[in-house]
Each structure stands twice: as structure tokens, then as C-alpha cells.
Amino acid sequence: MTDLEDLPGVGPTTAQKLRDAGFSDLMAIAVSSPSELAAVAEVGDSTAVKIINSARQMADVGGFERGDVILERMKDRRKLTTGSKSFDELLGGGFESQAITELFGEFGSGKTQIAHQLCVNVQLPEDQGGLAGHSVFIDTENTFRPERIVQMASAHGMEPEEALKNIHVALAYNSNHQMMLVEKAEEIAKENPVRLIVVDSLTGHFRAEYVGRGTLADRQQKLNTHMHRLLKFGRLNNAVICVTNQVSAKPDAFFGDPTRPIGGHIVGHTAMFRLYLRKSKGGKRIARLIDSPHLPEGEAVFMVNEDGIQD
Ligand code: GTP
Ligand code: MG
């Protein structure tokens, strides 16, 4: 991979400033805005434009693929069971690999519980709705509970210690760290069959760090980059991508409108499932599928109990 220092106009000092601000690779620079880059690297606007243009030329920005290659890849898509029949049916069989599924809802609506359940279920063989794989759990709120995994794994007759070994957990200290952990996940996936990546919560750090109207564009751009890398990870590894997003009943400036995809429309409809979760009577939960690419809108009722997610 190319070093930041290979970019014209970037010496060791500027490179360090960029890295400190989280611009650790060419892609991050390639998709940044000149004003953002000028501010963090402490260079003029025209230099920033030059740096960005060079980064765009040097970075692997995705490029074109032939249709038959895409079709082949799409044939490989798999479904991961939630543990609830009705929930699976809502999703056409379960969480889809090579796509991002966003769980959004209020506190306590079950986002983290579902994420834990997927980390267990992904280890099941394919004939039981799993993907016979490991998971990566990017935890931003110290929300991962091994003892909960033990309960859920035991309910499937798995060896709890083994189940825990197949879940790779990292705590993200801030949004830049969170983004870098996706690159780390790529290293883990080289050595292990990772079929699920969770980010719980996708939006927490971004929400805390970027406050005020003037920061919205930068925020959205960072989130887009983050989502793109997650999607790339999912495609490379045929993995399910599950991200959570806490939304409150009262709207806020940026994240408040739950009908709007977090990553904006850049991620694209074909790669995004959005599930709105809410609590119901008697410990029941309701999941509603919103503007899905090829599935009808609908709702599923499920339970969160001792053994995990069930009908
Ligand atoms: P935030 O992260 O605060 O936005 O909430 P969340 O949507 O992630 O909620 P979470 O998935 O943590 O759901 C919490 C709820 O799950 C609790 O209120 C319980 O109803 C249920 N729950 C969590 N752990 C257990 C458990 O061990 N047994 C049972 N029966 N229910 C549990
Ligand atoms: Mg949670």
C-alpha cells in the first residue's frame, strides 16, 4: 500500500497531522473535502485540492466490474437466521450477506440483543440457518456481554467457550478508531472465516463528536466512507453486516428522521436493509422492515428471553 508521504505536497509532518486526525489511508483522503483536509493538515485550500486529487488517482476507489462478476458474487449471498421464524420471514430468510442491515430503535428495543444472537447463530452450520463462521463485533458503548453469549450458545447446545472464541471483539474509543477497526477486521478475516461484522453502535461516537449544524457534511461523509468499507468487507468475505442506530422519539438535527438511511443514498438501495424495532406488550418486540430493495414492507413479532431471540 502507498504511504501518505508519497502524495505530492505531503511531508512527514503533514502526514502525521493527517494520521492523527484519522486520515490513515489514501481512501480517507480521496473522499474528504478540501476544507476538511485543509483544516486538519494545516495547508492551504489549493494544496488540499491537489492532495485529494492525487489520492483519488492512487487509491483503489472501487472501479468497474463486469456484470457477470457481480452476478456470480450475488449468487453466493447467504441468509443468517435470527432465531425467530417470523423475523426470518420478514427478511426473506434472515439477515443477508453482502448487505448492510441497520437496526434502529429506541434504547432497550433489542438492537444489542439481536447483535449478540447473530454472533452465536452465525456459528451454526448452514443447514441450521448459520454460516459456519466467526464474527467481528465492533463495540462502541461497551455493550458486549460474554455471559449473554454463554446463555445463547448453551441454548443451541454449543460449547460456550468455543462460541466465545469465535467472536472477535474490539472496543472503539472514538469514530476514527471505529473506522480503523474495520481495516483490522480485514486482517482477522484473512485468518478466520468471518461471516458477520457488527457495529454496535454505528452512530454513537459520530453523534457525540460532531455537534452543530456546521459539522453535518463532514459527518455524513465520514459515515459514508465507513459504510462503504463495511460493505466492501461484506462483499469480500460474503459476510453479513449488522449496524445499530439508536433513535429517540423526539427528532434531532441530523439523526432524527428514522426514515432516512444513515449512510445517505450513496450506499445504495440494493445493499441496505433497514429494520425499525420497538417494544410491545408482554416482552414482545416488533421489527418493521422499511424501504427494502426487493422485499415487501411488513412487520414481525418476536421475543427476547433467557435463551435469546425466539418467536
Ligand atoms: P440501547 O443500546 O440502549 O439503544 O438499547 P438496545 O436496543 O441495544 O437494547 P438491548 O438489545 O440491550 O435490549 C435490552 C432488553 O433486552 C432488556 O430490556 C431486556 O428486555 C432484554 N434482555 C437483555 N438481556 C436479557 C436476558 O438476559 N434475558 C432476558 N430475558 N431478556 C434480556
Ligand atoms: Mg444497545
Side-chain angles (χ1 to χ4, degrees), residues 36 40 74 97 159 185 188 200 227 236-237 239 247 269:
E36 185 186 24
V40 301
M74 284 168 70
S97 66
E159 187 58 58
I188 295 171
D200 186 16
M227 301 279 273
L236 281 172
N237 299 291
V247 293
H269 281 293

Side-chain angles (χ1 to χ4, degrees), residues 20-227:
D20 290 346
F23 293 88
S24 52
D25 61 44
L26 292 178
M27 183 63 100
I29 294 169
V31 299
S32 68
S33 71
S35 62
E36 185 186 24
L37 200 81
V40 301
E42 292 166 13
V43 297
D45 281 348
S46 63
T47 308
V49 169
K50 269 183 212 147
I51 293 173
I52 290 168
N53 285 340
S54 309
R56 284 184 183 164
Q57 281 167 18
M58 288 154 79
D60 169 21
V61 284
F64 292 90
E65 275 179 306
R66 288 183 189 259
D68 60 332
V69 176
I70 297 173
L71 182 68
E72 266 319 298
R73 193 178 64 223
M74 284 168 70
K75 275 190 201 150
D76 286 340
R77 282 182 302 189
R78 295 284 177 272
K79 297 280 190 176
L80 169 58
T81 184
T82 61
S84 149
K85 268 215 166 67
S86 95
F87 201 165
D88 283 355
E89 273 164 25
L90 179 71
L91 293 168
F95 279 59
E96 190 167 288
S97 66
Q98 302 185 37
I100 298 173
T101 302
E102 174 196 350
L103 303 173
F104 70 103
E106 279 192 85
F107 68 92
S109 56
K111 304 182 292 293
T112 297
Q113 291 299 307
I114 294 170
H116 278 66
Q117 187 72 62
L118 294 177
C119 288
V120 171
N121 292 0
V122 75
Q123 303 186 37
L124 293 167
E126 289 203 21
D127 61 8
Q128 290 176 39
L131 301 173
H134 290 207
S135 55
V136 165
F137 194 112
I138 299 177
D139 184 355
T140 76
E141 296 172 331
N142 208 354
T143 202
F144 181 76
R145 293 284 168 273
E147 61 275 18
R148 190 62 176 129
I149 297 292
V150 169
Q151 285 179 332
M152 291 172 167
S154 305
H156 276 296
M158 291 178 188
E159 187 58 58
E161 287 280 317
E162 273 310 304
L164 285 166
K165 271 187 198 151
N166 296 341
I167 308 173
H168 307 257
V169 186
L171 199 54
Y173 299 104
N174 55 44
S175 64
N176 283 324
H177 186 215
Q178 179 179 330
M179 291 173 76
M180 287 194 289
L181 285 171
V182 180
E183 291 170 40
K184 258 281 193 266
E186 278 156 18
E187 287 169 31
I188 295 171
K190 280 181 191 140
E191 275 151 30
N192 304 279
V194 177
R195 298 288 173 264
L196 166 69
I197 184 164
V198 169
V199 186
D200 186 16
S201 131
L202 180 82
T203 45
H205 282 315
F206 287 93
R207 207 192 294 254
E209 290 165 29
Y210 297 91
V211 281
R213 279 245 149 232
T215 62
L216 294 188
D218 289 346
R219 192 99 342 68
Q220 187 66 353
Q221 197 170 52
K222 277 261 169 66
L223 268 168
N224 282 338
T225 306
H226 191 29
M227 301 279 273

